[in-house]
Amino acid sequence: MGTNNILAKIRIQHTKGAVIASFTDFEIFKEISLKENKEFNNWEIGVNDKIGIEGKEYTVKSIFTIIHNETVKNSGQYGMSAVVVGERNEYNFEIVYYVE
């Protein structure tokens, strides 16, 4: 692995397998009803937190992290890349939130 910066992709996936959404665009990601921590001026997501996507509310059940050996182009139109919301930026680090 080279000396790349962390380029993250966030995937929201149902515990039964369906990918609900993926994000590499921070401004779009902030719009999913994240819990804001005003004391530290940031947003947080943890297990048992509720997040809202396209009018539906989900509860985070677990969190999984993937560190890729190389940067992923993120240009596919099929499979998990097809559900990207916003810009399709490259990534090398993926955080998966499993929800119900």
Side-chain angles (χ1 to χ4, degrees):
M1 193 168 185
T3 57
N4 293 335
N5 290 328
I6 293 174
L7 305 170
K9 175 181 178 180
I10 307 297
R11 181 169 22 127
I12 310 297
Q13 186 166 343
H14 198 279
T15 56
K16 293 184 179 178
V19 176
I20 297 165
S22 294
F23 304 88
T24 56
D25 184 323
F26 181 61
E27 292 304 315
I28 300 292
F29 179 63
K30 287 191 313 187
E31 295 176 9
I32 68 164
S33 305
L34 300 178
K35 181 171 66 175
E36 186 174 2
N37 183 329
K38 293 187 182 204
E39 179 181 357
F40 294 107
N41 192 29
N42 63 17
W43 294 268
E44 302 172 351
I45 302 176
V47 173
N48 295 322
D49 282 347
K50 306 256 188 249
I51 57 174
I53 301 173
E54 296 182 347
K56 293 184 180 179
E57 186 174 81
Y58 300 93
T59 301
V60 176
K61 294 300 183 180
S62 64
I63 303 167
F64 185 72
T65 304
I66 302 166
I67 302 165
H68 297 279
N69 287 326
E70 296 180 9
T71 301
V72 177
K73 295 286 184 202
N74 199 20
S75 60
Q77 295 179 0
Y78 304 101
M80 288 186 199
S81 292
V83 294
V84 171
V85 178
E87 294 293 321
R88 291 181 180 275
N89 300 316
E90 297 179 341
Y91 62 95
N92 55 19
F93 190 87
E94 192 168 354
I95 302 168
V96 183
Y97 294 94
Y98 289 98
V99 299
E100 289 184 346

